[in-house]
Amino acid sequence: MHPRQASVLLTCGNEMPRPCAQNDWFRVQIVHKQGSPPLVIPAAVAVLALWTCSAFAETGPVEAFRTFGLIGTWSPDCQREPAPDNPRVSWNVIDGAIIHTVTFDGRTLALVDTVSSAEIMDNDIIRFTAVRAGGFALITTLRIMNGRIRTIRSKGSDGRVYYDHAVELATGKPSLIDEHCAAVIS
């Protein structure tokens, strides 16, 4: 009797091991050593692989933002008062949703969005869709580096690109690099 010589490899993304992210692709590779008896691989193996990946997948924006560490308030300089060149950007969990707000003076909210979807693209990159009143949506990609965040790309549902390659297209200036001011525990 020959021992069965096979292995099943589940890979999520380009690296292993790491949990699969929502809508992440994965590859199941079954390695069968030549000369061993034929293997009958039931459909259960494929179902198990799908279940394993989905069990570790982000289930929504709240989990993605928590995993990525974005919950809380961010600003280029948390020690200074909010100003046009030092806005306060916040992502907080309210009634089970991520609410994104921006203030330039600390009193008035200039923007209020609801994050409708989020996907961790890599260890240091997250992409999310934020929807404003009236249905305008913004797809934004952020990079976290050394505990700071920076907008890499931002595109509106109208097709207008606001930031690309970490540059604000309207001004030609690099996007702001924000530090985490305070985490909101929820």
Side-chain angles (χ1 to χ4, degrees):
M1 182 172 189
H2 297 266
R4 293 183 187 255
Q5 297 178 351
S7 62
V8 176
L9 174 67
L10 173 64
T11 306
C12 293
N14 292 323
E15 30 186 273
M16 175 121 185
R18 82 166 167 83
C20 300
Q22 184 177 10
N23 299 322
D24 204 354
W25 63 270
F26 68 94
R27 178 179 60 222
V28 177
Q29 179 180 356
I30 301 171
V31 180
H32 181 247
K33 188 171 184 177
Q34 187 174 351
S36 64
L39 293 174
V40 176
I41 307 294
V45 171
V47 170
L48 177 62
L50 285 170
W51 177 82
T52 302
C53 192
S54 64
F56 291 105
E58 302 298 341
T59 58
V62 172
E63 290 81 8
F65 271 62
R66 281 190 174 133
T67 299
F68 204 72
L70 284 179
I71 304 295
T73 301
W74 298 77
S75 184
D77 184 350
C78 296
Q79 301 303 313
R80 287 183 38 222
E81 290 295 317
D85 66 337
N86 193 48
R88 292 289 193 278
V89 177
S90 296
W91 288 283
N92 295 303
V93 180
I94 299 174
D95 294 330
I98 297 289
I99 304 300
H100 168 246
T101 60
V102 178
T103 183
F104 296 102
D105 62 10
R107 295 180 304 277
T108 308
L109 295 178
L111 299 172
V112 178
D113 306 319
T114 301
V115 176
S116 61
S117 66
E119 180 179 4
I120 296 175
M121 307 297 293
D122 206 340
N123 291 334
D124 63 342
I125 298 175
I126 188 169
R127 180 175 53 205
F128 60 91
T129 301
V131 180
R132 293 187 183 143
F136 179 79
L138 197 62
I139 300 170
T140 302
T141 304
L142 296 180
R143 172 170 275 140
I144 193 163
M145 49 201 175
N146 301 321
R148 294 174 161 257
I149 59 169
R150 174 177 233 170
T151 300
I152 301 301
R153 182 169 172 80
S154 187
K155 181 179 180 180
S157 57
D158 60 357
R160 181 176 172 196
V161 177
Y162 297 92
Y163 290 87
D164 197 21
H165 300 292
V167 173
E168 184 180 15
L169 298 184
T171 64
K173 294 181 181 179
S175 61
L176 298 174
I177 299 174
D178 294 345
E179 63 185 2
H180 200 190
C181 298
V184 175
I185 300 172
S186 53

